[in-house]
Amino acid sequence: MTVKRRNHGRNKKGRGHVKPIRCDNCFQACPKDKAIKRFNVRNMIEAAAKRDMSEASVYDAYDVPKVYYKQQYCVGCAIHSRTVRVRSRKDRRNREPPSRFRRDAKKPAPAGKPSA
């Protein structure tokens, strides 16, 4: 029988059965090893409220705690929300993680102009 993925779309490897989880979007039951899992890290308060709190605060520098929320999606919802993308047969062989997107990364200076 032809096989689309070498792990059959799961991360089970000899466990036999895995308990299901519920998708955060559609509440569909999906095996825990098959679900697409992502961590969402956010500040506890938004930027406008953060500025108001820092002005009213007694402390000079106070780091607002972050909320770490684990999101679990079924395959259909992860594709629909573009958390993961469909890849071609050749690209499916690539097992390296995608390059990380960094917001604070320095942009390279345009050619011919020295950076100041």
Side-chain angles (χ1 to χ4, degrees):
M1 192 170 111
T2 57
V3 175
K4 196 170 187 181
R5 292 171 185 84
R6 77 182 203 172
N7 63 356
H8 304 286
R10 301 186 67 156
N11 191 16
K12 194 161 58 82
K13 303 297 183 224
R15 282 185 191 83
H17 184 263
V18 179
K19 292 210 181 246
I21 56 104
R22 293 291 183 160
C23 173
D24 285 345
N25 191 35
C26 67
F27 217 63
Q28 177 183 352
C30 175
K32 185 180 179 183
D33 62 327
K34 190 172 189 172
I36 288 93
K37 297 170 271 294
R38 295 288 184 267
F39 263 107
N40 193 353
V41 182
R42 290 185 172 178
N43 287 325
M44 273 193 177
I45 56 174
E46 72 249 27
K50 186 176 179 181
R51 191 183 69 237
D52 294 341
M53 281 186 64
S54 63
E55 290 172 359
S57 178
V58 183
Y59 301 106
D60 293 332
Y62 175 69
D63 290 334
V64 177
K66 294 186 181 300
V67 175
Y68 296 89
Y69 179 63
K70 187 174 187 179
Q71 296 175 312
Q72 297 175 320
Y73 296 110
C74 65
V75 175
C77 289
I79 291 171
H80 182 71
S81 64
R82 297 191 183 110
T83 304
V84 292
R85 307 225 174 192
V86 177
R87 297 189 291 175
S88 68
R89 184 178 291 185
K90 189 179 103 181
D91 289 342
R92 267 182 238 142
R93 303 280 181 250
N94 181 10
R95 293 177 55 83
E96 290 185 17
S99 59
R100 307 275 319 252
F101 174 73
R102 305 233 6 199
R103 292 172 196 239
D104 60 341
K106 302 282 184 187
K107 292 183 180 177
K113 291 185 178 179
S115 60

